[in-house]
Amino acid sequence: MTLLELEDVTASYGPVQVLDGVSLSVPDNGAFGILGANGAGKTTTLRAISGAVRTSGRIVFDGKDISGLRPDQVAALGIAHVPEGRGSFGDLTVRENLRVGAYLRKDRKGIDEDIDYCLDLFPNLQDRIRSNASALSGGEQQMLAVARAIMSKPRMLLLDEASLGLAPSTAKNVYDAIRRLRDESGIAMVVVEQNANLAFTVVDSATVLETGRSVLTGTSAELKGMDEIRRAYLGG
Ligand code: ATP
């Protein structure tokens, strides 16, 4: 079943058109990848979904046209966006950040259980539970950003470049946890990733963007090793 559908979505920053007809279909379980070179429009596609940029075309989530909704309205429908750069509250502790992630929820028991789940998923955060977010390493901050999004109990997670700036072993840890989350949580995921090899460790299928258009869509098995993937990442 399809949970999210983009049909011919365009978006511009001022006079510069950045998305030029993106169409994609995200299933209601598993992880779907958006791949492509620097500047292809991956981040903007996520921002279009979460209402952070104005778009034309259609964006349908769970049967409802969400194009034109504000970011808070999109979030309230169960779409959690983990942006590049992570954006935790630096002067709050790890535990406080997790609670902030759950601010729309009222189920105290569920919130406590989900905090425990996040700490089990990211043991590094357990070790830093009383630290301010600003004192965390880059990898820990990325883990906290994902955990905060989990705390909102979303139906869909938008993950932007979770490996950005991390050492390879740390990036692998983060993606191991994302894969576990994919298998255990039932949360549908859209994964934007510059590093195709890492992306293919979690996504079941993906689309490749080139200059704001989806040029190719397939399963991971079909896409791995294709010329378009090499071109998208290595520039030819
Ligand atoms: P990256 O990996 O670099 O984030 P991307 O595929 O996510 O690449 P986008 O961030 O969506 O690409 O950017 C697409 C294009 O839009 C790029 O050419 C970028 O320079 C431009 N762009 C992004 N944000 C803005 C902005 N706020 N104002 C103007 N142009 C922007």
Side-chain angles (χ1 to χ4, degrees):
M1 271 269 293
T2 296
L3 182 56
L4 174 75
E5 183 112 39
L6 271 62
E7 286 171 31
D8 206 19
V9 170
T10 65
S12 307
Y13 294 111
V16 183
Q17 183 163 9
V18 175
L19 300 185
D20 180 25
V22 173
S23 297
L24 53 85
S25 193
V26 181
D28 61 3
N29 60 50
F32 179 87
I34 300 178
L35 311 177
N38 252 324
K42 306 182 296 298
T43 295
T44 306
T45 301
L46 294 190
R47 299 187 72 217
I49 296 166
S50 60
V53 290
R54 196 185 292 268
T55 55
S56 65
R58 257 162 67 85
I59 304 178
V60 177
F61 178 69
D62 195 23
K64 180 179 156 73
D65 191 337
I66 63 167
S67 4
L69 295 188
R70 295 188 313 263
D72 60 306
Q73 294 173 315
V74 175
L77 291 173
I79 298 181
H81 190 163
V82 182
E84 244 179 287
R86 294 137 200 179
S88 289
F89 298 96
D91 53 0
L92 298 186
T93 67
V94 166
R95 185 182 290 285
E96 287 164 345
N97 267 283
L98 294 177
R99 292 212 171 269
V100 169
Y103 78 103
L104 286 175
R105 297 172 59 183
K106 303 224 156 35
D107 56 323
R108 271 186 70 175
K109 185 156 168 284
I111 292 171
D112 289 340
E113 284 167 8
D114 285 348
I115 289 179
D116 289 345
Y117 179 74
C118 286
L119 298 178
D120 187 57
L121 192 60
F122 297 114
N124 299 56
L125 295 182
Q126 173 74 68
D127 298 338
R128 308 298 307 269
I129 190 78
R130 288 187 192 81
S131 303
N132 279 359
S134 58
L136 302 181
S137 69
E140 289 164 347
Q141 293 203 17
Q142 184 63 57
M143 293 170 192
L144 180 57
V146 175
R148 254 181 43 233
I150 294 170
M151 290 307 301
S152 72
K153 220 174 174 51
R155 297 189 55 199
M156 175 172 275
L157 204 54
L158 310 178
L159 283 173
D160 199 356
E161 303 270 7
S163 73
L164 198 73
L166 304 184
S169 61
T170 310
K172 181 178 177 302
N173 281 344
V174 169
Y175 270 86
D176 286 347
I178 290 169
R179 194 166 49 251
R180 193 182 139 196
L181 183 67
R182 176 198 69 186
D183 293 339
E184 293 177 349
S185 69
I187 301 171
M189 300 180 179
V190 181
V191 176
V192 160
E193 186 48 69
Q194 200 44 230
N195 181 331
N197 290 331
L198 264 184
F200 285 131
T201 67
V202 298
V203 304
D204 309 296
S205 58
T207 194
V208 179
L209 295 190
E210 269 180 34
T211 56
R213 301 184 66 90
S214 23
V215 294
L216 184 69
T217 300
T219 64
S220 292
E222 289 164 349
L223 292 174
K224 271 182 207 170
M226 284 182 75
D227 281 351
E228 285 83 351
I229 299 285
R230 273 209 299 283
R231 196 166 71 229
Y233 286 92
L234 304 175

